[in-house]
Amino acid sequence: TCATQLRRHRRQSTNWNSDHYMEIVQYQHPALRWKSKSIAHINTKLTTIIREMFDLMYEAKGIGLAANQVALPFRFFIINVTGDAQLKEEEHVFINPEISDRKGSAEAEEGCLSMPELYGDVRRAEQITVDAFDLEGHGFQMELDDMPARVVQHETDHLDGILFPDRMSESARREIDSRLSDFTSLFRQQQRLGKYASEDEIEQQLREIEQEFA
Ligand code: ZN
């Protein structure tokens, strides 16, 4: 396991408004293509954000949610592979995750809360080892296989701005291209209607928010 420990800060910083409205953003919101930087410290604000993310995830009937998907440029994700909000012991937070020891290969269907109702077969390692920090700032290591291994690989990809269609075969990907274009058109339309800012403005916001836990 990791010997290091992240510092926990109780201090509230003021440069970012924690009343920030949180929602799951859809393709192709620029946050989904953001390569997030590591979190250097944990504070109570992060704990609050994570609780809210679990609620959003359950509401959307998901089993994993990465910070990028709520337009936050932080390197963490949450999972509960049962999707059951009652099973708190199945809730895991992975801060600054690093995957190693990938073994085997398996193909299975994936979906993503940022691309509702879109599914595709993705080939991934069957077994992985993942090192990360929990909300207490303690390093931990997990050896995972099957579905949990897949979820952790999918969510870790999000932190690098990689989405599951990027991992699909060329031919399978072509079959869902028009669906992706529909998502893009819808997002552009919402930008025109003022629900979302321009690409440049969103990227500027992400850079500012990133400083919060840097
Ligand atoms: Zn996803």
Side-chain angles (χ1 to χ4, degrees):
T1 51
C2 299
T4 35
Q5 210 175 305
L6 289 176
R7 284 176 301 142
R8 300 196 82 214
H9 283 213
R10 296 236 163 249
R11 176 182 57 88
Q12 293 287 323
S13 38
T14 51
N15 62 338
W16 177 56
N17 176 13
S18 57
D19 297 331
H20 169 89
Y21 167 67
M22 203 184 286
E23 62 166 350
I24 298 175
V25 295
Q26 298 189 353
Y27 188 86
Q28 83 161 324
H29 190 290
L32 297 171
R33 290 303 190 187
W34 197 257
K35 190 171 167 24
S36 298
K37 290 200 184 75
S38 296
I39 289 178
H41 67 264
I42 294 167
N43 62 19
T44 51
K45 193 180 287 182
L46 187 64
T47 312
T48 307
I49 290 168
I50 284 173
R51 193 60 254 162
E52 202 174 326
M53 282 174 65
F54 271 112
D55 294 342
L56 282 173
M57 183 183 84
Y58 293 131
E59 201 178 303
K61 308 219 176 308
I63 54 174
L65 189 65
N68 301 51
Q69 292 180 276
V70 290
L72 293 176
F74 309 138
R75 213 162 176 82
F76 74 85
F77 61 81
I78 58 171
I79 68 169
N80 177 342
V81 294
T82 69
D84 186 343
Q86 307 305 316
L87 299 180
K88 298 293 174 212
E89 69 276 15
E90 297 291 335
E91 292 185 347
H92 296 286
V93 180
F94 293 76
I95 298 170
N96 300 345
E98 296 282 350
I99 295 174
S100 60
D101 293 335
R102 292 176 170 82
K103 286 187 197 117
S105 164
E107 196 172 64
E109 192 175 70
E110 292 186 18
C112 181
L113 295 180
S114 294
M115 289 170 269
E117 324 249 311
L118 184 66
Y119 302 94
D121 286 337
V122 183
R123 181 163 290 282
R124 296 195 188 268
E126 213 166 6
Q127 292 179 357
I128 56 162
T129 300
V130 57
D131 286 281
F133 294 91
D134 63 20
L135 257 180
E136 301 299 312
H138 300 302
F140 67 91
Q141 185 174 71
M142 279 187 192
E143 282 176 31
L144 301 171
D145 57 16
D146 297 328
M147 215 253 282
R150 177 170 298 276
V151 176
V152 164
Q153 290 174 85
H154 176 116
E155 300 306 332
T156 303
D157 269 355
H158 271 301
L159 308 182
D160 290 319
I162 298 167
L163 300 167
F164 84 81
D166 304 336
R167 301 275 190 205
M168 288 171 68
S169 70
E170 187 84 27
S171 58
R173 167 69 197 269
R174 260 198 300 274
E175 287 172 30
I176 63 159
D177 264 349
S178 69
R179 296 284 313 282
L180 289 174
S181 303
D182 291 343
F183 280 116
T184 304
S185 309
L186 185 61
F187 185 74
R188 299 277 171 260
Q189 188 186 34
Q190 289 173 322
Q191 279 180 312
R192 282 193 299 275
L193 293 170
K195 182 177 181 203
Y196 295 106
S198 71
E199 246 71 357
D200 285 352
E201 286 167 316
I202 292 173
E203 286 174 11
Q204 182 54 37
Q205 286 165 9
L206 290 169
R207 273 188 290 273
E208 284 168 16
I209 297 170
E210 201 166 54
Q211 298 311 309
E212 176 76 14
F213 297 103

